[in-house]
Amino acid sequence: HVYFLDPLPIYLDEINRVLKPGGKLVWGCKFANLPRDNAEFVNVSKSAIVDAMREAGFEVSTSKVAVDEGDPKKNYIEVLGEKKAVG
């Protein structure tokens, strides 16, 4: 999962390299429910992940996925990256 990929830019460059144009990468992230003091969780910032994906050449969008409006810890954020088409 994206939380554990270190260093993230190297992984994203490789994913972008092997995807065909228009190919997609999707992360489902629960940013509100992550340990902030755990050294294993190195990518816990939505903005930093989105920035790294854009720097790797992806077009990026995010959207909230509501699983349970009564318990925000069950909801997650979809982070979608699409490899830009050649042309």
Side-chain angles (χ1 to χ4, degrees), residues 56-78:
F58 289 96
E59 294 178 0
V60 183
S61 63
T62 63
S63 60
K64 179 182 174 186
V65 179
V67 177
D68 183 347
E69 289 295 340
D71 185 358
K73 290 183 177 182
K74 292 183 180 177
N75 300 328
Y76 63 94
I77 302 293
E78 176 190 84

Side-chain angles (χ1 to χ4, degrees), residues 45-55 58 60-62 79:
S45 164
K46 179 177 82 171
S47 62
I49 292 168
V50 167
D51 289 346
M53 290 174 70
R54 287 188 175 128
E55 287 177 25
F58 289 96
V60 183
S61 63
T62 63
V79 181

Side-chain angles (χ1 to χ4, degrees), residues 1 3 29:
H1 199 278
Y3 307 130
C29 302

